[in-house]
Amino acid sequence: MTAPLLKVDNLCISAPSGPIVQGVGFTLERGRTLALIGESGSGKSMTALSILGLLPPGLSHATEGGVIFAGEALPLGEERRMRTIRGKRIAMVFQDPMACLNPFSSVGSQLDETLRRLNVTAREVRRERSQRLLTEVGLPDPPTILRRYPHELSGGQQQRVMIAMAIAGEPELLVADEPTSALDASVADGIVRLLADLQRRHRMAMLFITHDLAIAARLAHDIAVMQRGKVVEIGAAQVLMSAPRHPCSTRLIGARRMLGAPRSPAPTTIESRVLVANGVSVDYAPRRLFGRPFRAVEDVSLTLGAGNTLGILGESGSGKSTLGAAIAGLIGISGGCMTVLGQERTQRLHTLQGSRRRECQLIFQNPYGALNPRLTIAQLMAEPLALMGVAAAQHTERTTVALAEVGLERQHMMRYPHQLSGGQRQRVSISRALLCRPRLLVCDEVVSALDTTVKVQILKLLKRLQEAYGFGMVFIGHDIEVVRWISDEIIVMHKGRITDRFAAAEMEADERDTWTKRLLACTRVPSHSPSTAHACG
Amino acid sequence: MNLLQDIAFQLARALMQAFAIMVIVFLLVRVTPGDVVDVLAIEGDLTAEQQEVMREELGLDRPLVTEFFNWVRQAATGDLGQSLRYGRPVADMVGNALPTTLTLAASSFIIGLVLAFSTALTATMTQGRFTTSLVNLLNIWSIAFPTFCVGVAAILVFSIWLGWLPVLGAMIAPVVIIGIDNAGQIAKPLFEELREAANSAHVRTARAKGLHPVRIAIAYLLPTAIPIALALSGLILAGLVAGTLTMEVLFGLSGIGSLTLQAIHGRDYPVVQGAVVVIALGIVAINTVMDILHRLIDPRLAR
Amino acid sequence: MSLPVHPDTAPAHARLPFPSGASVGAVLVTAILVIALIAPWVVPYDPLYQNLLAINTPPGPEYWLGVDHLGRDVLSRLIMGSRTTLAISVGGVTLAFFIGGCLALLGLALGRVSERLVFGGIDLARAMPDILLALLLIVALGSGAVPVAIALGVSFSPFFAYVARTAYKREMAQDYVRAARLFGGGRLHVLLRHVLPNIAGGLVTQAAIILPRCIVTESVLSFLGLGSSPDAPTWGRMISDASRFIEQAPHAILAPMLTLVLLTVSLLLVGDYSRARLDPLRGARNRQGVMP
């Protein structure tokens, strides 16, 4: 047995405010993949960056920790010596490909610059190699792509270009830091397959950082779970997935299992319909004076009964959020007809009238944006109360009760939104919307910004509140398992149209539309080892 | 939008700005209490009758709108009217003053740009305490030390106490003073943008590729800086106008600035109008060229 | 469009090379303010009285800052000048604040067409350099303290209008504004509860940035002979008057110049510090910055 390619031993990283990574250690053999998983703030990205000596300014390595690469300690602090390793022996792929590519130069010149740095001197050779690399990462028509600028490519194409640049130097180690989390599920799936394929073909070692357990399980031979700057559990992927030992891993896997298993559907006794839409379309006004309006939603028909949940599933740009805003009355509809809580919405009059207006609420994806940062939680909760005409004397009492219902305490009332965690902020948003006793609640990607364990808590909370209050819920999301878990019925949207609709329990059935099947395929956690997973990918 | 449409849009905007400027200049000069005849009357002891005749000759009794369009029409052919005091064509007077002002403005502009770019780039690259303080110092300097104060101090120290430079006529001092002032106006915003770019994901990627820092500065930071510098050109130009104006007066240079001020004090408003319009239109022209350049350099603007 | 400083992007601590600068600045600003307020009671001599026997006397025990070319006490003129200078500059900034802020909010609140009209007009007027606009305004309005303040107010107002527009648009696009509408809040509620309080900070910050610029511009105008009347001297006018006798009485020009620089630097330091301290989102920004 030779020495491992990468050995991280007691790595410590500290920021001025305190330690971020404390004593992390793991080893990685040649030709194998290690997934580093953890929730936000667990220090996984910083660990990855530190291996290339790319820590952001202000963060520093503690002296005792070391990274040993191919038998030698990496000179982490020394820019000049690290430069001889970066891109040649260790390459990296980052999260947001749009931000990572130089916006001022074409794909061709960025690849060219990469190859020139690898001492490929002949211009013609570089051009030919660039084309070969693009073909290898699965981009059709390389000559055209080479002429393009980054902003002219789609997110998936950008990430493929990034990967092409990373493998240009035939690195021994590829570090991939959440390379798929900025991408849509079906695109992300392609990137995961590509990385698995490249790793096998080039016999690279890969350090894959992710928060997504499903992806980790598909790709990795080994998994290390990080929590608060420490590795809490490390082991073979199969073993860890089936028998996690540390509570943190158990929680992560448990959350995944809960979402993976279909929930027993709610009794669908429909007494009253809270939402009926018939052939609804929504246009956005043209950007320029004589431009054509952009049709974001086209010919959508749906119904929702009180106490039921309708899931709207789609990727970015599918029109699902626009539809949600139209249901909530934030934007007008341009065609068709929509009846919300018994009142018909017309093109001219899109907000509900009278007290009905408050009975339809929307919860936003980013709870930080939905709470005015200059107001305390108590002031924020008082806003809807005051607008409803509740006397100021009762505000504190009503607020306390409402917050208790979502699991927050009195002490949170005097805080500002930025002093709460993401999950707590979303609880405040939900609690605030419930003050109005809504009969229809639109949830727009409400758990997408949250970590898996928090996500599950919020989903359970929503379900519990729905059972208590009996509101109809429209749940918009891109994560097929989340949407399936919470919904009774699901519609799938693509390019503004409904492409498929089915009861949540029948998702796996054969008659599903191809688009749905593709989405579904991306999230399936394999029970077999990654090597066989590659074979079917 | 394609390139030609963009350029056409910029040119149309420039034309509208030019028109707006001419309206503003004309109106503000015309509503002035007391015209040139009043001034000449006090100085030259004219009778009321003589004053009337003079007003008629000068067209001061005609309606404003007619006068305005006459003025614009003549200005379009290069005729800016005649000086009331000296009887010379305004265009000639402005033309004589122009070279001095242009030399002053252009050379201090170059000094300012070079100084700003070099300090901002070094401060970004080194992230050092000293270079960062230098950028801050330049910034504070340009706001708190108005050019005329620095000019007076320079005269006092160099000409009077040290006896190095002649007090009047020398170009070096004003050029350096305005140049430093210009650098201070833009060094700070430039540095902030550069620092942001240096911490951006694409520079981090470049570092992960192992690119040389000089290569990163040239291919990644400079392209970010140039559009910013172009966008800041308005700030630079405003500083240049104020700077040349005061420096010309202080150092007794006969440029457009001194010409304008003399004309204002003498209520010689064809000259005021002519000189101000020439400066303002020049700035509109430069800004338009800058905007078009910006559009050509940044590929993201081509949508 | 050219805003002098970008309050949102500038890290507040960056311009402060030394933290104690702000306190020194605060002390100086307060001192100058107090002196300006009580000026008529503390001046040692009549600032307009000409002691022809003492022309160009350098600083000494009798005349602390010396005497100028017309035999007037420099210290007394400096003290009285602080009054005029500050009154004109503060007046100019206040005017610019209200002209710019009101124009922008009016244009923005009334809808898209009025916004285009207001800001189209401002953009066109901005083609004219500030100093030339101020110059022409003074030519049109005549010299004196009020015309100068008006000229400063008008030519600095676009800075406030732009800040107000940026902040307004940012606020209106926030989810909490949409949430407020869902709670049944009307236009006025949104404006009063969310938009105005969140804009006000930016406008006040902008005022703090513009004030030193206003003081400098005022003195430039005075220096060019377009400022207030000779009876109510400002620092710029003192510099201008004394510049012709710079060889005989350098003290008469150095005193107002140094005071001017001292005040503007102090204002800059105080402005930066208060901007850093008064920003309630500071914690939030830092927090977001650290999040991976």
Side-chain angles (χ1 to χ4, degrees):
Chain A
M1 189 88 193
T2 52
L5 177 69
L6 179 74
K7 184 162 188 274
V8 175
D9 192 20
N10 195 19
L11 178 74
C12 297
I13 300 168
S14 52
S17 54
I20 293 176
V21 171
Q22 314 173 43
V24 161
F26 54 81
T27 56
L28 179 56
E29 311 277 341
R30 281 175 204 273
R32 285 178 74 87
T33 300
L34 172 71
L36 210 54
I37 70 172
E39 311 205 314
S40 56
S42 61
K44 55 189 192 304
S45 286
M46 290 303 139
T47 305
L49 284 174
S50 75
I51 292 172
L52 275 101
L54 287 175
L55 284 178
L59 301 189
S60 56
H61 295 277
T63 39
E64 71 263 38
V67 180
I68 293 162
F69 177 71
E72 279 177 54
L74 282 178
L76 293 178
E78 296 168 57
E79 257 326 275
R80 194 182 291 268
R81 284 176 62 200
M82 279 310 288
R83 231 185 296 135
T84 60
I85 295 165
R86 289 181 198 149
K88 285 182 175 163
R89 303 184 65 192
I90 307 180
M92 188 152 180
V93 178
F94 296 93
Q95 177 172 2
D96 181 3
M98 176 68 195
C100 287
L101 290 164
N102 184 354
F104 296 99
S105 58
S106 63
V107 168
S109 68
Q110 293 187 55
L111 267 167
D112 189 71
E113 149 195 286
T114 312
L115 291 167
R116 199 163 49 206
R117 139 100 186 119
L118 296 165
N119 301 326
V120 184
T121 38
R123 203 190 169 83
E124 283 313 304
V125 179
R126 288 202 302 262
R127 192 172 162 71
E128 191 261 336
R129 278 272 296 274
S130 301
Q131 299 200 6
R132 248 202 353 250
L133 281 167
L134 288 184
T135 317
E136 189 170 2
V137 295
L139 285 170
D141 194 11
T144 317
I145 300 272
L146 285 177
R147 276 198 305 276
R148 293 267 162 85
Y149 283 93
H151 68 266
E152 298 170 324
L153 302 177
S154 72
Q157 288 172 324
Q158 289 166 355
Q159 194 59 291
R160 283 172 196 267
V161 170
M162 285 293 295
I163 294 171
M165 293 199 294
I167 60 167
E170 296 278 338
E172 294 154 67
L173 171 65
L174 181 66
V175 181
D177 183 8
E178 301 256 17
T180 57
S181 42
L183 305 171
D184 280 328
S186 59
V187 180
D189 182 53
I191 299 289
V192 170
R193 283 166 196 241
L194 174 68
L195 283 172
D197 189 41
L198 290 171
Q199 188 258 344
R200 202 162 33 99
R201 228 180 316 144
H202 293 257
R203 294 210 41 79
M204 295 181 290
M206 181 153 72
L207 181 63
F208 194 92
I209 286 89
T210 183
H211 65 276
D212 189 333
L213 203 64
I215 292 180
R218 283 175 64 193
L219 261 176
H221 302 88
D222 302 293
I223 293 180
V225 181
M226 280 189 74
Q227 187 192 24
R228 289 196 212 102
K230 288 179 179 144
V231 171
V232 293
E233 184 169 359
I234 184 163
Q238 241 173 313
V239 180
L240 195 134
M241 289 298 287
S242 53
R245 291 191 313 272
H246 192 272
C248 177
S249 345
T250 318
R251 238 190 0 258
L252 274 172
I253 291 163
R256 198 76 222 174
R257 281 221 189 98
M258 182 197 103
L259 292 175
R263 192 175 48 84
S264 55
T268 48
T269 45
I270 296 174
E271 304 142 20
S272 59
R273 297 200 182 283
V274 288
L275 170 66
V276 181
N278 235 326
V280 165
S281 60
V282 181
D283 289 345
Y284 278 119
R287 269 237 189 108
R288 284 194 292 138
L289 201 54
F290 300 108
R292 205 181 281 166
F294 173 70
R295 177 145 288 196
V297 172
E298 181 147 31
D299 192 23
V300 163
S301 304
L302 45 86
T303 55
L304 174 65
N308 278 18
T309 304
L310 174 72
I312 303 181
L313 191 62
E315 307 201 314
S316 57
S318 63
K320 58 187 194 304
S321 286
T322 308
L323 180 60
I327 291 171
L330 284 171
I331 50 176
I333 59 174
S334 327
C337 67
M338 177 146 70
T339 312
V340 179
L341 303 173
Q343 272 188 14
E344 184 158 341
R345 279 208 183 126
T346 58
Q347 291 180 28
R348 235 171 291 151
L349 192 70
H350 59 263
T351 50
L352 295 174
Q353 295 308 297
S355 61
R356 285 282 161 78
R357 188 166 171 187
R358 282 183 209 108
E359 293 184 352
C360 175
Q361 286 294 322
L362 186 137
I363 300 174
F364 298 89
Q365 168 172 7
N366 176 6
Y368 192 69
L371 304 174
N372 189 339
R374 282 167 206 262
L375 301 179
T376 61
I377 304 306
Q379 287 171 319
L380 285 164
M381 297 290 286
E383 186 183 1
L385 290 173
L387 285 167
M388 282 190 296
V390 176
Q394 295 175 25
H395 285 186
T396 317
E397 191 202 325
R398 296 263 314 248
T399 302
T400 320
V401 173
L403 286 177
E405 206 168 30
V406 296
L408 291 176
E409 289 154 33
R410 249 192 121 82
Q411 51 163 355
H412 295 118
M413 281 175 59
M414 283 305 125
R415 303 225 180 125
Y416 285 94
H418 71 260
Q419 294 166 324
L420 301 180
S421 71
Q424 286 172 331
R425 277 180 228 153
Q426 199 56 289
R427 283 168 196 269
V428 173
S429 291
I430 293 170
S431 165
R432 214 154 81 104
L434 286 180
L435 282 175
C436 299
R437 296 278 172 268
R439 287 161 59 204
L440 174 61
L441 188 66
V442 181
C443 297
D444 187 3
E445 299 261 21
V446 288
V447 294
S448 309
L450 303 174
D451 287 324
T452 317
T453 48
V454 183
K455 197 181 274 190
V456 167
Q457 290 164 6
I458 297 287
L459 288 174
K460 282 183 179 163
L461 173 71
L462 280 172
K463 209 70 217 169
R464 204 184 71 223
L465 292 169
Q466 188 183 30
E467 274 156 22
Y469 291 103
F471 49 78
M473 180 154 67
V474 174
F475 192 93
I476 298 163
H478 68 275
D479 186 331
I480 200 160
E481 296 190 322
V482 166
V483 173
R484 174 172 62 176
W485 188 84
I486 202 155
S487 310
D488 302 307
E489 199 194 348
I490 295 176
I491 60 174
V492 179
M493 284 186 74
H494 182 54
K495 289 187 178 160
R497 288 172 170 277
I498 295 182
T499 55
D500 203 2
R501 63 174 79 216
F502 45 83
E506 293 163 20
M507 182 179 254
E508 311 268 353
D510 266 350
E511 65 265 30
R512 293 287 73 84
D513 163 88
T514 43
W515 187 254
T516 320
K517 281 184 179 163
R518 261 183 74 188
L519 284 177
L520 206 53
C522 312
T523 48
R524 206 160 277 155
V525 181
S527 52
H528 38 62
S529 78
S531 51
T532 42
H534 298 157
C536 74
Chain B
M1 251 194 249
N2 67 38
L3 188 62
L4 283 178
Q5 261 179 318
D6 272 357
I7 292 176
F9 173 78
Q10 296 287 0
L11 290 179
R13 205 178 74 141
L15 271 181
M16 277 171 71
Q17 285 180 334
F19 187 76
I21 283 172
M22 298 195 87
V23 172
I24 293 174
V25 171
F26 184 82
L27 277 183
L28 286 181
V29 172
R30 271 307 160 88
V31 299
T32 309
D35 55 26
V36 68
V37 180
D38 289 334
V39 179
L40 293 178
I42 295 162
E43 288 172 7
D45 227 6
L46 297 174
T47 63
E49 230 166 81
Q50 283 172 305
Q51 289 183 30
E52 275 312 302
V53 175
M54 245 186 121
R55 287 209 166 86
E56 213 166 296
E57 272 174 17
L58 295 170
L60 298 178
D61 52 347
R62 271 175 280 173
L64 272 182
V65 181
T66 328
E67 266 296 277
F68 174 68
F69 282 104
N70 273 341
W71 179 57
V72 172
R73 202 168 42 237
Q74 286 176 348
T77 60
D79 176 11
L80 293 169
Q82 301 226 315
S83 162
L84 298 180
R85 291 217 147 212
Y86 307 100
R88 291 172 55 203
V90 174
D92 282 2
M93 293 171 75
V94 171
N96 286 339
L98 210 50
T100 312
T101 305
L102 281 183
T103 321
L104 186 58
S107 32
S108 48
F109 178 72
I110 291 169
I111 288 186
L113 222 53
V114 169
L115 195 60
F117 261 80
S118 49
T119 40
L121 256 182
T122 25
T124 313
M125 301 275 295
T126 57
Q127 306 266 347
R129 228 188 162 74
F130 175 73
T131 41
T132 315
S133 306
L134 197 65
V135 170
N136 291 328
L137 186 71
L138 267 178
N139 181 50
I140 290 187
W141 177 278
S142 74
I143 299 172
F145 294 67
T147 43
F148 77 95
C149 282
V150 183
V152 167
I155 289 179
L156 196 62
V157 173
F158 294 111
S159 306
I160 297 173
W161 289 350
L162 296 174
W164 286 356
L165 299 165
V167 176
L168 301 176
M171 268 299 215
I172 303 165
V175 164
V176 171
I177 292 168
I178 305 174
I180 293 177
D181 185 66
N182 269 328
Q185 302 267 2
I186 58 166
K188 177 90 174 177
L190 198 60
F191 170 61
E192 273 163 9
E193 293 282 345
L194 280 175
R195 193 178 44 187
E196 202 167 293
N199 290 331
S200 71
H202 66 267
V203 168
R204 190 183 55 188
T205 310
R207 290 178 61 205
K209 289 203 290 191
L211 294 185
H212 195 274
V214 173
R215 167 81 196 164
I216 294 179
I218 291 170
Y220 288 73
L221 293 181
L222 264 188
T224 328
I226 289 170
I228 301 158
L230 290 177
L232 289 171
S233 64
L235 210 57
I236 311 172
L237 289 173
L240 266 185
V241 172
T244 45
L245 205 67
T246 44
M247 285 301 106
E248 281 174 12
V249 172
L250 186 63
F251 286 86
L253 303 170
S254 48
I256 290 194
S258 348
L259 182 69
T260 314
L261 277 165
Q262 277 165 19
I264 287 176
H265 289 307
R267 303 235 165 99
D268 192 352
Y269 45 64
V271 179
V272 176
Q273 282 176 347
V276 170
V277 158
V278 167
I279 304 174
L281 292 189
I283 282 170
V284 168
I286 297 172
N287 270 331
T288 308
V289 172
M290 295 283 191
D291 283 343
I292 292 174
L293 274 181
H294 188 180
R295 167 68 180 73
L296 289 174
I297 286 176
D298 195 337
R300 286 171 300 181
L301 293 178
R303 300 236 158 155
Chain C
M1 251 164 288
S2 54
L3 299 177
V5 179
H6 311 270
D8 283 339
T9 54
H13 55 86
R15 205 198 269 163
L16 290 170
F18 37 87
S20 59
S23 35
V24 174
V27 170
L28 276 170
V29 170
T30 322
I32 291 173
L33 260 178
V34 169
I35 290 175
L37 282 176
I38 58 168
W41 298 279
V42 292
V43 283
Y45 300 92
D46 178 356
L48 297 178
Y49 174 72
Q50 302 182 355
N51 181 356
L52 297 178
L53 297 175
I55 283 177
N56 293 342
T57 310
E62 193 179 352
Y63 298 101
W64 289 2
L65 291 178
V67 178
D68 73 359
H69 61 280
L70 290 178
R72 298 170 299 194
D73 176 40
V74 173
L75 179 62
S76 304
R77 286 177 72 73
L78 196 66
I79 292 174
M80 285 307 278
S82 66
R83 217 173 151 85
T84 335
T85 306
L86 281 177
I88 292 176
S89 311
V90 171
V93 171
T94 316
L95 212 59
F97 184 99
F98 282 107
I99 296 177
C102 291
L103 214 59
L105 286 183
L106 209 69
L108 290 161
L110 289 182
R112 204 175 282 183
V113 178
S114 69
E115 185 204 327
R116 289 243 166 118
L117 280 177
V118 167
F119 282 94
I122 292 178
D123 279 343
L124 286 184
R126 286 287 300 152
M128 192 92 176
D130 303 335
I131 189 90
L132 285 187
L133 188 60
L135 216 116
L136 284 181
L137 277 167
I138 292 171
V139 169
L141 299 170
S143 55
V146 175
V148 174
I150 293 176
L152 290 174
V154 171
S155 44
F156 280 110
S157 59
F159 292 129
F160 290 92
Y162 290 135
V163 168
R165 176 173 62 174
T166 314
Y168 181 91
K169 296 222 150 158
R170 189 188 59 218
E171 290 304 315
M172 289 308 274
Q174 296 290 342
D175 280 344
Y176 50 77
V177 165
R178 299 167 80 198
R181 279 170 58 200
L182 287 172
F183 293 137
R187 211 174 249 274
L188 198 65
H189 167 84
V190 167
L191 207 64
L192 293 179
R193 181 82 195 172
H194 297 291
V195 178
L196 278 183
N198 290 8
I199 284 185
L203 283 178
V204 170
T205 306
Q206 186 70 355
I209 295 167
I210 293 295
L211 182 62
R213 281 171 185 265
C214 217
I215 293 176
V216 167
T217 310
E218 190 280 326
S219 56
V220 169
L221 289 171
S222 293
F223 174 75
L224 296 176
L226 297 165
S228 58
S229 58
D231 299 343
T234 63
W235 296 341
R237 182 148 196 121
M238 289 174 69
I239 299 171
S240 169
D241 286 351
S243 68
R244 276 169 293 154
F245 301 91
I246 189 168
E247 278 183 79
Q248 295 89 338
H251 55 270
I253 204 165
L254 281 177
M257 238 171 63
L258 291 179
T259 325
L260 178 70
V261 169
L262 219 56
L263 178 61
T264 40
V265 172
S266 304
L267 279 172
L268 276 178
L269 293 173
V270 173
D272 267 337
Y273 182 72
S274 55
R275 188 172 72 204
R277 282 305 298 270
L278 293 179
D279 184 3
L281 303 184
R282 191 170 42 127
R285 286 214 188 98
N286 290 345
R287 210 181 159 89
Q288 281 174 339
V290 172
M291 294 284 260

